[in-house]
Amino acid sequence: MNGGDEVMTAPAGPPQPLEWKFSQVFGERTAGEEVQEVDIISAIEFDKTGDHLATGDRGGRVVLFERTDTKDHGASRRDLERMDYPINRHPEFRYKTEFQSHEPEFDYLKSLEIEEKINKIRWCQTANGALFLLSTNDKTIKFWKVQEKKVKKISDMNLDPLKAVGNGSTASSSNSNSPIPCLANGGSPDRSYNYLENDFSFPPGGLPSLRLPVVVTSQETNLVARCRRVYTHAHDYHINSISNNSDGETFISADDLRINLWNLEISNQSFNIVDVKPANMEDLTEVITSAEFHPTHCNMFAYSSSKGSIRLIDLRQSALCDSHAKLFEEPEAPGSRSFFTEIIASISDIKFARDGRYILSRDYMTLKLWDINMDSGPVATLQVHEYLRPKLCDLYENDSIFDKFECCLSGDGLRVATGSYSNLFRVFGCAPGSTEATTLEASKNPTRRQVQTPSRPSRSLSSITRVVRRGADSSGVDANGNAFDFTTKLLHLAWHPTENSIACAAANSLYLYYA
């Protein structure tokens, strides 16, 4: 309108593609170094603040990292930016502590070995400066508390022999000034003061005074991990998922056929809320592959199946959630069915977006983004492994077709990421109109495997698909014309909850990238 103050602005287009850079690596392998099986990372998880990162490995260990670039300033990154405070270019983490979460076990009733490998890690709400997290292997879930404790030391003896008088009385104070060194937990580096040695003999005339140790609390702190609870004997099949509820009190655990609901405070009782086990196991057609609570609605969770479907469950409907509130599945294209159709349709991982509006799912070939308000089909389908379609027979023979790749979403919901072979991972833009599709390698030079296309900085998804299919015609070649290696696969990765930073695992190495 003439004379009006309103200015019509054009609708904002999709965000520009991110330029990813290497940030850090922990446990980097040297050339030719052999990776031990127990050191291979099997789980990665950021906490809700993004200030802590946890990894689990096949040896049953959990390693914690803490962020350092904001901790030094004592304020959040967003507050520092608001104050125009100079901050580092990207999030930086340092090793915090590690502990042995699970040990190998043996089920004598079933003659079954239970390996110590950590399948999933989930952070719980912090309290009183302590960190809490859940970790699980195939059968047992554990609730851990990690807290800083002040170190108690044995101080020097409270009586100094040089000042002792009479029958053990002394004129000095109870605090010793003796130069005898002391170690944590009472050790002494000088063997002459170790009175517990078997070869110790009393001096002639006996000891002039009784020397008593004093326990003092020093200002030094030590991180201590304590297992608060163990949740066990609730799953007949291997646990594939755990997910804590937004109420801070409950969590679910899922195996192939059942999902159980637990209270964090009660370890000897759980409620079976989903059971897909048929009366006759010969009638079994699908299994549960992943389950996750809604990030804000404590009554809702979703689980995926080996048939490529996702069921959204409302706990308010009934105690046993046999019926779903919504079913998300994509109808099979006519004439496309083959021997591998069901195998590659199996969903290996699902994740809710931070606002709970969308669900991201990963099957062997694609990433799919679902709107929970629209169950007719996915709002976006992103091709990840289309170039492997001619090789499905080989992938079946070497069992690679059963690899379970994880997926993740950015905190703002504009991008998604997942892993691939040859230690590659893919980042896609999922905003309307976005053509972002980046392939990166888990190494110090993440972009070295990409085809350089200066004239076209961001290719459309259709052109990506064409490149993929063309590359698949030649044996052992990936989307970018590089030889792919099925033995090096990037299965586990996580996106920082508030920033464009990704942590991913390549064998025993943890890589962090930022944009």
Side-chain angles (χ1 to χ4, degrees):
M1 293 175 62
N2 295 333
D5 294 333
E6 294 182 4
V7 177
M8 297 296 290
T9 56
Q16 290 296 311
L18 295 177
E19 184 181 345
W20 291 93
K21 299 183 180 74
F22 168 78
S23 173
Q24 288 173 282
V25 59
F26 296 94
E28 185 182 17
R29 299 194 307 278
T30 57
E33 181 186 351
E34 187 176 343
V35 179
Q36 299 296 318
E37 179 82 9
V38 293
D39 294 332
I40 295 176
I41 296 172
S42 56
I44 299 180
E45 186 79 4
F46 281 104
D47 71 348
K48 283 187 178 179
T49 64
D51 291 337
H52 293 92
L53 175 64
T55 66
D57 62 27
R58 294 188 184 181
R61 295 179 298 256
V62 171
V63 184
L64 304 185
F65 301 88
E66 67 176 348
R67 188 166 175 176
T68 59
D69 58 317
T70 57
K71 189 174 181 180
D72 297 338
H73 302 309
S76 72
R77 187 182 184 94
R78 193 164 292 173
D79 293 338
L80 293 173
E81 287 173 344
R82 199 175 291 121
M83 295 185 297
D84 204 20
Y85 197 100
I87 55 174
N88 289 351
R89 293 174 300 116
H90 55 85
E92 289 184 355
F93 287 83
R94 71 179 172 201
Y95 169 86
K96 186 177 179 75
T97 188
E98 68 179 89
F99 55 91
Q100 188 71 33
S101 173
H102 287 71
E103 302 278 359
E105 301 172 51
F106 189 81
D107 188 334
Y108 294 98
L109 293 176
K110 298 181 179 178
S111 296
L112 184 69
E113 285 187 13
I114 304 171
E115 61 179 354
E116 64 272 33
K117 173 192 163 194
I118 305 294
N119 289 344
K120 295 287 180 185
I121 296 173
R122 289 292 180 266
W123 290 91
C124 302
Q125 292 181 357
T126 58
N128 300 325
L131 302 174
F132 294 89
L133 49 90
L134 290 164
S135 62
T136 184
N137 65 354
D138 286 340
K139 295 289 183 180
T140 306
I141 307 162
K142 294 186 179 182
F143 183 47
W144 290 92
K145 177 182 181 181
V146 181
Q147 190 175 29
E148 283 192 346
K149 294 273 189 181
K150 288 190 174 179
V151 177
K152 289 186 177 180
K153 289 185 176 182
I154 304 296
S155 79
D156 197 4
M157 308 308 179
N158 67 340
L159 286 177
D160 192 301
L162 299 177
K163 298 180 181 178
V165 292
N167 57 356
S169 63
T170 179
S172 67
S173 68
S174 62
N175 292 329
S176 171
N177 298 318
S178 169
I180 300 171
C182 65
L183 299 176
N185 302 325
S188 173
D190 188 347
R191 283 178 61 89
S192 64
Y193 291 99
N194 192 348
Y195 296 137
L196 297 179
E197 291 289 336
N198 292 330
D199 57 356
F200 172 76
S201 59
F202 282 90
L207 291 170
S209 62
L210 179 63
R211 306 181 62 181
L212 298 175
V214 176
V215 179
V216 294
T217 303
S218 71
Q219 293 305 309
E220 296 176 41
T221 57
N222 202 5
L223 277 166
V224 178
R226 283 204 175 93
C227 183
R228 298 293 302 275
R229 284 175 187 81
V230 179
Y231 314 90
T232 188
H233 304 309
H235 288 279
D236 291 330
Y237 303 92
H238 289 178
I239 298 171
N240 55 48
S241 302
I242 52 174
S243 179
N244 37 344
N245 199 344
S246 59
D247 63 9
E249 296 180 1
T250 56
F251 70 94
I252 54 173
S253 58
D255 65 20
D256 291 343
L257 297 179
R258 291 190 177 96
I259 299 176
N260 293 330
L261 178 68
W262 302 82
N263 188 300
L264 282 167
E265 301 296 322
I266 303 169
S267 59
N268 59 357
Q269 184 183 35
S270 66
F271 295 96
N272 179 227
I273 53 176
V274 174
D275 189 348
V276 299
K277 185 178 181 180
N280 183 356
M281 284 295 282
E282 291 181 0
D283 298 330
L284 183 68
T285 59
E286 63 181 334
V287 296
I288 298 166
T289 57
S290 183
E292 180 160 299
F293 259 119
H294 191 282
T296 55
H297 297 334
C298 61
N299 57 288
M300 293 174 67
F301 72 93
Y303 72 90
S304 60
S305 82
S306 58
K307 277 194 167 181
S309 61
I310 301 171
R311 289 173 173 84
L312 190 65
I313 304 295
D314 190 338
L315 290 166
R316 298 171 298 185
Q317 287 185 341
S318 64
L320 186 61
C321 306
D322 286 335
S323 60
H324 50 263
K326 284 191 176 178
L327 174 66
F328 304 95
E329 61 181 352
E330 195 168 24
E332 191 180 307
S336 64
R337 188 164 186 82
S338 71
F339 173 77
F340 305 108
T341 300
E342 283 197 12
I343 300 175
I344 61 176
S346 176
I347 295 174
S348 56
D349 190 27
I350 60 169
K351 291 283 195 316
F352 273 99
R354 203 175 183 198
D355 60 1
R357 172 71 184 270
Y358 296 95
I359 299 174
L360 179 68
S361 68
R362 170 72 152 100
D363 56 46
Y364 190 73
M365 305 298 282
T366 65
L367 279 170
K368 291 188 175 79
L369 190 67
W370 306 81
D371 185 336
I372 64 170
N373 296 332
M374 189 181 82
D375 52 8
S376 58
V379 293
T381 299
L382 306 162
Q383 299 295 338
V384 180
H385 279 165
E386 186 63 31
Y387 64 93
L388 292 177
R389 194 173 290 276
K391 302 208 162 293
L392 291 179
C393 211
D394 297 335
L395 293 163
Y396 179 77
E397 288 179 2
N398 63 22
D399 284 344
S400 294
I401 200 169
F402 300 107
D403 288 334
K404 300 188 185 311
F405 293 93
E406 293 179 1
C407 59
C408 57
L409 297 98
S410 60
D412 56 15
L414 297 177
R415 295 174 180 86
V416 297
T418 190
S420 182
Y421 294 106
S422 303
N423 282 343
L424 300 177
F425 63 101
R426 308 266 165 88
V427 179
F428 296 95
C430 55
S434 175
T435 58
E436 183 175 356
T438 309
T439 301
L440 301 160
E441 182 185 35
S443 69
K444 287 187 173 180
N445 184 10
T447 58
R448 69 174 181 161
R449 298 291 290 268
Q450 282 187 273
V451 175
Q452 298 302 316
T453 52
S455 59
R456 208 182 337 168
S458 61
R459 293 174 290 189
S460 67
L461 288 179
S462 59
S463 68
I464 284 284
T465 307
R466 284 199 296 273
V467 172
V468 164
R469 286 177 178 160
R470 189 166 61 245
D473 295 337
S474 54
S475 176
V477 173
D478 70 6
N480 288 325
N482 301 299
F484 51 74
D485 180 5
F486 294 130
T487 61
T488 55
K489 45 202 169 197
L490 199 150
L491 301 176
H492 311 286
L493 76 173
W495 201 302
H496 191 282
T498 58
E499 299 176 28
N500 287 321
S501 178
I502 292 178
C504 56
N508 66 329
S509 302
L510 175 67
Y511 287 90
L512 288 100
Y513 300 93
Y514 72 98

